[in-house]
Amino acid sequence: MVDIESIRYLYEPVHPHWFYCKRAESRETWIPFSSKDSQELEETFNSGVTKAVIATEGGRYDVHLAERKRYPVYWEQAATEVRRCTWFYKGDKDNRYVPYTEDIGDQLEEAYMIALTLDEWKNKLEFSSGETFILHNPKLMVQYQPAAVPDDWGSLPVDPIRPRTVKRGIENLSIEVPAGEPSQVDHLVFMVHGIGPACDLRFRSIIQCVNDFRTASQNLLQTHFKMAQEEQKIGRVEFLPVNWHSALHGDATGVDKDIQRITLPSISRLRHFTNETLLDLFFYNSPTYCQTIVDTVAREVNRLYILFRERNPGFEGGISIAGHSLGSLILFDLLTNQGDTVRTKSDTEKRGVQEDLKTVKDFLEKLGLSEYLSVLEKEKVDLEALALCTENDLKEMGIPLGARKKICHHMKSRGKAQQSAWDPSAQGALDSMDFTVNKSQEDKQLSRPLSNSSVSSVNYEHFDVGIGQVSINYPHLVFEPKAFFAFGSPIGMFLTVRGLKRIDPNYSFPTCKSFYNIYHPFDPVAYRIEPMIVPDMEFEPMLIPHHKGRKRMHLELKDSLTRMSADLKNNLLGSLRTAWHSFTRIQTPVLPLEAGPEGAAKATASKEEKEEHRAEDSSSPMKEEELDINVGMLNGGRRIDYVLQEKPIESFNEYLFALQSHLCYWESEDTALLVLKEIYQELGFVLEQP
């Protein structure tokens, strides 16, 4: 008889690990929680607290232990099942091990303990569902599924049902379990998507794409900021998605139903794709739906910020915003108009200047020019129209020079006073406007640049037709972002189409001091910003280094071949030039003896130095990084345009990868590294090259 007491020590309880179920395309995949989250869940489970709620995955999901459900915190998503897992199986068609339910796992663990302590193996363990388990030994355990039921004709399935491999404990599985995210959050970034509900070629949502970007950033922190992380000087950067598409196309607006009624029935799939994606561009240029989009983005960003602060009361880091495609344009317009909403005065105080003079009569009486009231009334000029009149317009009405000067001067002063009522920092805004020289006053209005001291970028309400940014009310963000990152952005194109020919170098966002325009060289939607600030200079954008080194090998090879061809060309031209000079050289008198060989040598040497210097100047152009380029204050005097390096396969056909290049930013480690570099550089941490 076996002495149970003597061998009981061989048995060790299994170490449970917590998993959650991820559903995609009617398939279930069980993902392990990080070691940190699983340990916290297990400790809470063992404590006996039944209605506990545990924050997991950096606080982005809450797990309700009693329900065994996992709920998202910051966005709307279906709850997923959570399971305390001890035993796993894998069938022939399974790519990874699947955990058993907790009841089956407990029964298998009890049978395993008895078999191990009594050393009695190969016993059958049958369940009411018809499944049979056989524990051959601690390393070999299988599950036999119920026998196949014959169909109506009495035939059985052709493929026999093979037994499943059974494993005990997660340590016996080839599953990579993450350690867990640091609790400390150094920076918060809100990411706004572009057109359509899908953000990449796999038609994934903004939530999934931001998850990939967050994962890439966490991996880069471990490799490029390794020392700072090991010393626990830095934590992590949190990225949260901002979804506005569902609000625009939801039942509240009813726009989808209206569009569907007028959509043709032919090529239905293509028309559905157009209605879901491309129409967002037209919606943003509509006053009605543009207001909905801007309100949704601002409201969602503010909601996420307040909720994050409530859940992280000790957070003291900065906040940045990032936008992809149309999302970057939405954020640009929001930031440009933030100065209009940061107010503490009452509405009466804001309108105080405007209430002084309500009519042209009051204005002229104040200036002592009442005799010209009839002239203005004849032309139907009210106070608003008078503000738009130039001195030439007043001259054509027959108003003399002195009166014209007085009216123009006071209207200009009144404009300054109105701006000061909204923003005390706007004194001198009209004087600092930098107008591009054109033939007419209307052209001057269209080419007005973004002014540093002006609250809004361009006074689009000044236009008689619907050119430029639509006239809507821009809501206020409850925080001031540190930086704005634009991915694959059409901002430059939209500003140009709106009539903005250049940006004042002194202009900066009212509440954000950093702006980075990041794009792929083959992105068909992306446009540059720097040429609008410095139109008289031609220079290349800043090349974003590869996250594993400086340049990709094929780009290095291309540069080397370019330099080699330039050197060969210059050497060939130099040889031809020397031969030509030798044939056409004019005979000169022989130098005096005292100056003889030395003078001739100096002359020859001087000539050769000039030729070499000329060849060097033509063969080695100045490097981009050596140029002292002033691109204005939009990014605090630093460069704005940053270009990614294309992959070797992309360089074969840029048209083939054009669409992919516009959607590559979510998985781009180079993009994520640039964002991390700029964030942590402000905190005093320098990037480490592994």
Side-chain angles (χ1 to χ4, degrees), residues 542-589:
M542 292 293 291
L543 185 67
I544 300 176
H546 189 259
H547 65 282
K548 292 184 178 179
R550 276 177 39 221
K551 273 189 179 182
R552 294 183 184 268
M553 186 175 295
H554 70 287
L555 295 179
E556 291 278 9
L557 180 61
K558 183 189 295 185
D559 292 344
S560 299
L561 292 176
T562 302
R563 287 193 298 267
M564 187 182 300
S565 62
D567 292 340
L568 290 174
K569 178 181 178 182
N570 290 324
N571 291 337
L572 179 60
L573 292 176
S575 301
L576 293 176
R577 191 183 299 110
T578 303
W580 175 257
H581 287 326
S582 64
F583 285 117
T584 60
R585 184 179 300 158
I586 302 175
Q587 299 295 330
T588 56

Side-chain angles (χ1 to χ4, degrees), residues 325-384:
S325 190
L326 181 62
S328 64
L329 179 65
I330 298 171
L331 292 177
F332 184 89
D333 290 340
L334 264 176
L335 291 178
T336 303
N337 292 278
Q338 280 305 286
D340 287 338
T341 52
V342 185
R343 308 294 167 222
T344 57
K345 296 183 179 181
S346 63
D347 293 340
T348 303
E349 290 175 329
K350 293 176 184 177
R351 297 191 300 264
V353 178
Q354 300 178 10
E355 291 175 352
D356 290 343
L357 304 173
K358 298 181 180 180
T359 62
V360 176
K361 180 180 179 181
D362 296 336
F363 179 76
L364 294 179
E365 287 179 353
K366 181 179 179 180
L367 300 181
L369 302 173
S370 301
E371 62 269 25
Y372 302 108
L373 177 61
S374 59
V375 177
L376 296 179
E377 289 178 346
K378 181 181 178 181
E379 298 291 338
K380 300 185 182 301
V381 176
D382 57 9
L383 197 60
E384 184 179 355

Side-chain angles (χ1 to χ4, degrees), residues 9-165:
Y9 69 91
L10 294 175
Y11 170 75
E12 293 183 2
V14 66
H15 297 289
H17 195 93
W18 291 76
F19 282 67
Y20 64 90
C21 183
K22 181 179 179 182
R23 299 179 184 273
E25 299 179 357
S26 70
R27 294 187 60 184
E28 292 185 355
T29 304
W30 286 90
I31 309 297
F33 282 99
S34 66
S35 301
K36 178 182 177 181
D37 292 340
S38 180
Q39 181 179 354
E40 187 174 359
L41 289 169
E42 183 65 17
E43 291 176 354
T44 307
F45 173 80
N46 293 329
S47 67
V49 180
T50 57
K51 296 185 179 180
V53 178
I54 309 300
T56 61
E57 300 177 63
R60 295 182 297 276
Y61 290 89
D62 284 341
V63 173
H64 295 238
L65 280 182
E67 302 176 20
R68 292 294 196 272
K69 293 290 185 179
R70 168 178 167 267
Y71 294 91
V73 175
Y74 296 104
W75 53 81
E76 293 183 2
Q77 197 176 26
T80 55
E81 183 182 354
V82 173
R83 189 175 292 177
R84 182 176 180 262
C85 307
T86 54
W87 286 74
F88 306 83
Y89 70 88
K90 182 179 180 182
D92 291 337
K93 298 181 180 180
D94 296 326
N95 296 326
R96 54 196 304 167
Y97 280 91
V98 180
Y100 286 107
T101 61
E102 296 183 30
D103 293 339
I104 294 179
D106 292 340
Q107 295 181 52
L108 289 175
E109 182 64 19
E110 182 180 357
Y112 176 85
M113 180 187 67
I114 295 174
L116 184 64
T117 54
L118 298 178
D119 197 22
E120 294 180 358
W121 300 96
K122 299 183 180 180
N123 293 329
K124 288 185 178 181
L125 181 63
E126 296 182 353
F127 287 82
S128 58
S129 59
E131 298 175 337
T132 303
F133 293 84
I134 299 180
L135 310 181
H136 294 280
N137 56 60
K139 299 295 182 182
L140 179 59
M141 294 166 282
V142 293
Q143 173 197 352
Y144 293 93
Q145 296 178 265
V149 179
D151 56 16
D152 296 338
W153 299 93
S155 59
L156 295 173
V158 178
D159 296 331
I161 301 176
R162 297 185 179 182
R164 293 172 172 175
T165 303

